[in-house]
Amino acid sequence: SYPPSAMPAAAPAKGDFLACLTKSIPPRLLYARSSPAYGSIWASTVRNLKFDSDKTAKPLYIITPTEPAHIQATVACGRKHGMRVRVRSGGHDYEGLSYRSTKPETFAVVDMSLLRKVSLDGKAATAWVDSGAQLGDIYYALGKWAPKLGFPAGVCATIGVGGHFSGGGFGMMLRKHGLAVDNVVDAKVVDANGNLLDRKTMGEDYFWAIRGGGGESFGIVVSWQLKLVPVPPKVTVLQMPRSVKDGAIDLIVKWQQVAPSLPEDLMIRILAMGGTAIFEGLFLGTCKDLLPLMASRFPELGVKQGDCKEMSWVQSVAFIPMGDKATMKDLLNRTSNIRSFGKYKSDYVKDPIAKPVWEKIYAWLAKPGAGIMIMDPYGAKISAIPDRATPFPHRQGMLFNIQYVTYWSGEAAGAAPTQWSRDMYAFMEPYVTKNPRQAYVNYRDLDLGVNQVVNDISTYESGKVWGEKYFSFNFERLARIKAKVDPTDYFRNEQTIPPLFK
Ligand code: FDA
């Protein structure tokens, strides 16, 4: 961020861009800073309130396309008149890169929220989904029209399809069905020349890159074709808090060994906070089948009949993030999420962490400004897919992912949680993956590094610093594909894949 005085004025020279747009896009879909609705449209999906501020570098224009041709025209006009575009689907980016810049810059935002159709083909068990849909739109459509089918994606209904799939996307079925993008079979994308491509016309390299190589870098994905997965008539949800006083640390020590090797139908994650660990599970089956499994594999957790909540799969996707009052209809609510100020980081763990270290971790979780740790076990399907099959490299041998979540209300309250987040991350270094220390691109963290732009191109060397953390050995291939599909680096933000030409 920078002071408002340093913000680019509504540059008259860019009027050509607007004039160009109006030849192909109805004016009611275009917002300049002077438009009365500009402020509310811009803020509509700002999820991290840190960026809902006068100090934020905002776009000159917002375009809300209702058809792919509008996106093609925006890219063509942008290229012609020197206006970069950032694309926003659900606006959940932790660093707000879909709607703001960290430095003074003129840009426009393509806001996909009006492009949100979900078209199911129940017989073929496939669906076409627009990027502006939220995950809840997919889940709701499945629950209503094809209750025997599900889709493995994120836990929160308001997450946008466009950004989530661009970074991989995982939720409570990751052990059975892998990432969201492991189940994407086709896509439509507008490239840097304004062409609308599908899997056949973009080619396999390009298609590989957009399934997890991070948002913004390769063009604007308009829609995705999904392979839907079968779900049983009943699933079982567990939510079991255990306090440190009552042995939570011993349970976590055991969990790290057990959770990644359980049968693929069972996922048990941990939310660690204060003096508590909540063991949250989804079993793709009934309580009757779950109880003997838990008794043999993880008896220490002590799961009993009364701990089981049986429901349909679609009820579980509402219940897990929103609680027992949530109904299927809540999956369609675009404002259901509490918005707060936040800072987020992530890690991957390959070797079990020793009990004395967990004791220290809980001491950290009791410090001022402490956040929570969400730990998702891997193993089974997500780890069985080869590390190079998609850009997402965190698969074989990975025990679990950690997300460090800190949030607060009111700008003034941010210092302690932000400091805690950085200190906690520093403390964890010896216990997590190394060379590179891996991180999940959908948990965007600008502390990992940002691109340097030289001669109007993001440099490979600067991108490598953060890029190898998100993509490991797949980063170089992503950069070579970027050089082919967007050699002028038109689609860029602080953490887009830089082109590698050699
Ligand atoms: P947003 O619109 O901000 O876009 C994110 C990035 O993708 C930006 O760089 C943007 O430019 C780009 N982009 C957006 N649309 C695009 C398009 N159509 N084509 C090309 N690029 C595009 N993750 C997870 O895996 N599992 C989970 O359970 C959760 N849970 C969760 C809960 C909450 C409350 C938040 C805020 C976030 C998560 N996440 C998550 C992280 C989430 O997956 C991540 O923030 C996604 O990028 C969000 O996608 P949106 O479209 O909402 O974001």
Side-chain angles (χ1 to χ4, degrees):
S1 9
Y2 55 92
S5 57
M7 280 176 66
K14 305 296 175 192
D16 293 346
F17 171 68
L18 198 58
C20 177
L21 290 183
T22 51
K23 286 187 197 139
S24 319
I25 306 178
R28 68 189 158 80
L29 303 177
L30 306 174
Y31 302 86
R33 286 214 187 132
S34 53
S35 316
Y38 171 95
S40 62
I41 297 277
W42 179 80
S44 60
T45 54
V46 171
R47 290 278 159 193
N48 193 338
L49 292 180
K50 240 169 34 179
F51 308 121
D52 192 0
S53 147
D54 289 348
K55 293 184 208 135
T56 294
K58 297 179 184 147
L60 281 186
Y61 304 107
I62 303 171
I63 298 104
T64 57
T66 55
E67 48 188 85
H70 297 157
I71 304 172
Q72 294 179 265
T74 305
V75 172
C77 293
R79 290 291 300 274
K80 194 161 166 207
H81 298 289
M83 177 70 71
R84 285 182 191 287
V85 295
R86 293 182 182 228
V87 52
R88 174 169 75 176
S89 289
H92 283 52
D93 193 282
Y94 286 153
E95 298 281 8
L97 298 188
S98 52
Y99 52 82
R100 66 137 193 161
S101 168
T102 59
K103 49 189 187 312
E105 185 184 4
T106 49
F107 65 100
V109 162
V110 175
D111 180 307
M112 301 289 285
S113 55
L114 297 181
L115 268 170
R116 53 164 115 155
K117 210 168 48 227
V118 175
S119 315
L120 294 183
D121 181 342
K123 253 200 192 138
T126 58
W128 273 100
V129 180
D130 290 342
S131 279
Q134 62 179 28
L135 297 183
D137 296 334
I138 305 177
Y139 301 151
Y140 179 87
L142 288 169
K144 189 153 169 88
W145 307 109
K148 291 184 178 162
L149 297 172
F151 190 70
V155 173
C156 211
T158 53
I159 299 171
V161 161
H164 186 64
F165 290 7
S166 293
F170 58 74
M172 297 300 285
M173 293 206 291
L174 64 84
R175 305 194 66 254
K176 172 91 174 183
H177 297 293
L179 300 175
V181 290
D182 295 331
N183 299 279
V184 165
V185 291
D186 202 343
K188 296 200 175 127
V189 57
V190 173
D191 74 3
N193 294 318
N195 297 317
L196 181 64
L197 307 172
D198 63 10
R199 179 171 184 172
K200 211 159 148 215
T201 49
M202 80 179 87
E204 287 302 304
D205 259 2
Y206 199 162
F207 185 61
W208 177 84
I210 57 169
R211 282 173 304 141
E216 182 77 31
S217 294
F218 302 99
I220 301 181
V221 184
V222 181
S223 54
W224 312 74
Q225 190 183 28
L226 318 181
K227 179 172 63 70
L228 303 167
V229 302
V231 289
K234 280 230 154 61
V235 303
T236 305
V237 176
L238 300 174
Q239 280 175 337
M240 306 188 54
R242 292 288 182 266
S243 71
V244 170
K245 272 192 261 129
D246 294 331
I249 290 180
D250 286 324
L251 292 174
I252 297 175
V253 171
K254 175 93 195 256
W255 169 88
Q256 336 169 68
Q257 315 258 16
V258 172
S261 60
L262 286 169
E264 61 181 14
D265 284 332
L266 179 56
M267 155 109 174
I268 302 177
R269 65 176 190 166
I270 294 180
L271 293 88
M273 65 194 84
T276 309
I278 300 172
F279 293 80
E280 185 167 63
L282 177 72
F283 178 59
L284 299 169
T286 59
C287 184
K288 191 167 147 275
D289 291 333
L290 176 62
L291 290 178
L293 176 62
M294 291 303 291
S296 76
R297 301 293 295 273
F298 198 4
E300 298 84 349
L301 191 57
V303 177
K304 295 190 280 304
Q305 177 91 35
D307 298 313
C308 291
K309 295 187 182 77
E310 283 186 351
M311 57 189 83
S312 67
W313 173 78
V314 72
Q315 279 169 327
S316 80
V317 292
F319 176 88
I320 289 174
M322 294 186 272
D324 54 6
K325 296 218 168 52
T327 65
M328 242 177 85
K329 277 241 162 80
D330 292 318
L331 296 168
L332 300 176
N333 186 339
R334 298 204 146 218
T335 52
S336 59
N337 241 329
I338 302 159
R339 298 185 193 198
S340 57
F341 296 67
K343 175 69 197 164
Y344 309 81
K345 291 181 165 295
S346 64
D347 262 322
Y348 277 94
V349 176
K350 267 191 164 159
D351 300 308
I353 296 174
K355 183 174 173 183
V357 179
W358 284 110
E359 283 163 354
K360 286 188 189 152
I361 289 172
Y362 267 92
W364 275 95
L365 289 170
K367 289 192 184 204
I372 66 177
M373 286 165 70
I374 301 176
M375 293 175 278
D376 287 324
Y378 279 21
K381 181 67 177 267
I382 194 169
S383 297
I385 292 172
D387 288 338
R388 291 169 203 264
T390 70
F392 182 92
H394 326 287
R395 295 186 187 262
Q396 263 141 53
M398 216 50 93
L399 293 181
F400 58 98
N401 168 270
I402 305 177
Q403 186 184 183
Y404 309 92
V405 178
T406 44
Y407 51 89
W408 59 93
S409 43
E411 201 177 337
T418 306
Q419 193 58 47
W420 180 88
S421 170
R422 293 191 177 137
D423 293 345
M424 181 75 205
Y425 189 73
F427 168 78
M428 289 299 289
E429 191 191 326
Y431 314 113
V432 298
T433 49
K434 295 173 191 54
N435 305 316
R437 182 173 182 179
Q438 298 183 42
Y440 175 37
V441 63
N442 264 347
Y443 299 158
R444 172 111 53 204
D445 178 7
L446 289 183
D447 295 349
L448 300 179
V450 294
N451 287 341
Q452 305 298 319
V453 177
V454 176
N455 297 329
D456 211 25
I457 302 271
S458 310
T459 69
Y460 180 73
E461 288 311 314
S462 63
K464 215 171 144 175
V465 175
W466 57 265
E468 290 194 338
K469 297 186 165 88
Y470 291 149
F471 304 111
S472 199
F473 35 74
N474 290 323
F475 178 70
E476 187 182 320
R477 180 171 174 198
L478 286 168
R480 290 190 189 284
I481 295 170
K482 172 77 173 180
K484 278 196 202 128
V485 307
D486 184 17
T488 67
D489 198 25
Y490 175 65
F491 291 112
R492 77 170 177 234
N493 64 33
E494 293 75 357
Q495 279 190 347
T496 40
I497 305 292
L500 178 63
F501 295 101
K502 282 185 295 220

